[in-house]
Amino acid sequence: MRTKRSEWPHPDPIALPLIRQVVSGPTMGTRYSAVFYAPATSDLPGLRHGLQAAVDAVDAQMSTWKPDSDLMRLNRAPTKAWFAVPSQLGRVLAAAIDIGRQSDGAFDIGVGDLVSAWGFGSAGSQGDQTRCAALRAEPRVPAHRCLELDGALDRVRKHAEITLDLSGIAKGFGVDELARVLVAHGIDHFLVSIDGELRARGGKPDGSPWRVAVEKPVVGHRAAQGVIELTDGAVATSGDYRHFVDSDGIRYGHTMDPCSQAPLADGPAAVTVLAETCMAADAWATALLVLGPAAGGATASRQGLEALFIERPHILPSHPTKDPISKEDRP
C-alpha cells in the first residue's frame, strides 16, 4: 500500500553520496526519531538542535502534563474572553475543530475532564468513578461548537466551560514539524516518528519505499499484523492494546467516546490511517476508531483517506487506547 504524493516538490537529484543517519531525543513523555539519508557534509549538530527545538515547542504549547503550557493556560482562561495563542497551537486547534465537525463529533478535543476523571490525566492521577458518573449526567457541548478562533490575530475564546486535550492530534503535528525541519535542511529522504506516529518523504535513495509494520493489537506482545510501504505521506494508528488503566478488575483504554462520555466500549481493536500529514492521520485514526468500521469506513471514503480497521480478538480487553507502530525502518 502506498500513500499519496506529498505536497512538497522534489528537488533535483543530489549528486553527493547519501549516508544513513539516525537522530532521536525526548519529547512528550516518549521519544522522537528521525531516520534520513544526507551527505556526509550535512550540519548534523544543527539539524539535531532544530529537531529538538521543534518538538520542544510543540510540547511547551500543547502538553496537558505541564501546568504552564499554553493549552493548560487556555483551559484556565475565563469563558467569553479572547485568549492569545501561539500560531502553531492555533493551527492545531483549527484542524481539531474542522475534523471534529467533519466527523460529527467523533473526534472531540473537549474531553479533557473525562480523561482526568478516568485516570488518564497527569502523573499520579487516579480514576474517580463518582466524578465520571457526574460528568456523564451533565450536558456536553463538543469543542467544535464552543470554540471560536480568530486566526488573523492568533486568539481563541471559549463560549462554554471546556477542558481541552490535544493528545489525539499533538504528536501527529509534532511529527509534521520534524518533517518541516528536515526539508528546511535540504533532506529529501526520511522517516520521522513520535511514539509510532510516522511521516515519510522520498522513499530511500535506491528507490525502495520505507517499510512500516502495523502491529497486532495484542496486550503485552509485539508482533506485526502486516507491513505498509510508505514513500510520501503519514500513518497513525489508534488501538486498545498499549495505554490503559485498570479499575475494579476492568481494563479501560484512554480513547473517549464523546457520545457515551466514557472510554470506548465497543468497536475495532485498532484503526490505521494513511494521510498526507501526520496531524490529519493522528486525529482521523481516533475519529474512525470511535465511529467503528461501518460509519468510519464511509467517513474515510468521503474524506479520501486510506484506513485499515482491525477487528477485536476475543482475547483482548474491550476498551481502547492509542499507540501507533513501526517496524523495519525504526531505529
Side-chain angles (χ1 to χ4, degrees):
M1 189 185 323
R2 292 180 183 271
T3 60
K4 299 176 181 178
R5 304 298 295 178
S6 75
E7 72 275 18
W8 291 323
H10 289 282
D12 294 331
I14 299 175
L16 294 175
L18 300 179
I19 300 173
R20 186 180 187 272
Q21 307 273 11
V22 178
V23 172
S24 65
T27 186
M28 305 183 205
T30 181
R31 294 186 69 81
Y32 79 86
S33 66
V35 183
F36 57 93
Y37 289 84
T41 55
S42 298
D43 178 14
L44 192 59
L47 180 57
R48 186 187 301 272
H49 173 78
L51 292 170
Q52 189 66 56
V55 293
D56 286 349
V58 175
D59 199 21
Q61 293 179 31
M62 306 177 201
S63 175
T64 56
W65 293 68
K66 295 181 176 180
D68 60 344
S69 72
D70 295 281
L71 178 69
M72 295 302 287
R73 292 192 300 110
L74 173 59
N75 280 336
R76 294 191 297 268
T79 59
K80 309 296 184 181
W82 286 108
F83 181 84
V85 295
S87 60
Q88 289 180 322
L89 177 55
R91 286 168 53 198
V92 173
L93 290 173
I97 290 171
D98 184 52
I99 294 173
R101 185 179 298 111
Q102 293 183 60
S103 65
D104 293 326
F107 182 73
D108 185 5
I109 59 172
V111 296
D113 52 351
L114 292 173
V115 170
S116 295
W118 281 92
F120 293 105
S122 58
S125 65
Q126 299 293 322
D128 183 341
Q129 291 302 310
T130 301
R131 177 62 175 152
C132 292
L135 290 173
R136 287 197 298 272
E138 297 175 0
R140 178 173 295 272
V141 180
H144 67 271
R145 292 183 181 172
C146 66
L147 285 183
E148 181 182 359
L149 270 63
D150 182 351
L153 296 178
D154 287 329
R155 59 182 187 170
V156 60
R157 62 178 169 183
K158 304 175 293 185
H159 291 281
E161 288 291 343
I162 190 170
T163 304
L164 304 174
D165 187 319
L166 297 177
S167 60
I169 193 170
K171 285 181 181 176
F173 178 75
V175 171
D176 291 334
E177 284 296 285
L178 292 172
R180 178 187 59 79
V181 171
L182 287 166
V183 171
H185 279 75
I187 308 299
D188 198 40
H189 303 277
F190 61 74
L191 179 69
V192 290
S193 69
I194 296 177
D195 202 20
E197 317 281 21
L198 300 118
R199 183 162 178 174
R201 172 171 166 84
K204 298 179 182 178
D206 63 3
S208 63
W210 299 98
R211 292 171 58 83
V212 177
V214 176
E215 203 168 62
K216 282 186 178 179
V218 178
V219 175
H221 179 67
R222 295 273 182 171
Q225 180 84 25
V227 175
I228 294 173
E229 292 186 344
L230 197 62
T231 300
D232 290 283
V235 60
T237 298
S238 287
D240 69 352
Y241 49 95
R242 289 289 174 257
H243 302 161
F244 45 76
V245 296
D246 291 313
S247 177
D248 297 327
I250 301 175
R251 179 170 289 170
Y252 298 97
H254 84 286
T255 298
M256 293 294 153
D257 181 354
C259 183
S260 67
Q261 302 190 47
L264 188 63
D266 298 301
V271 178
T272 295
V273 172
L274 294 161
E276 290 197 4
T277 69
C278 202
M279 177 169 65
D282 193 7
W284 276 112
T286 298
L288 299 185
L289 187 73
V290 172
L291 288 170
T299 299
S301 180
R302 288 196 303 271
Q303 297 296 324
L305 300 168
E306 294 183 73
L308 172 66
F309 292 80
I310 302 177
E311 295 299 327
R312 184 182 306 281
H314 294 300
I315 61 172
L316 293 183
S318 60
H319 301 276
T321 186
K322 182 174 176 114
D323 186 60
I325 44 59
S326 64
K327 186 189 177 186
E328 299 178 7
D329 293 304
R330 187 173 185 175

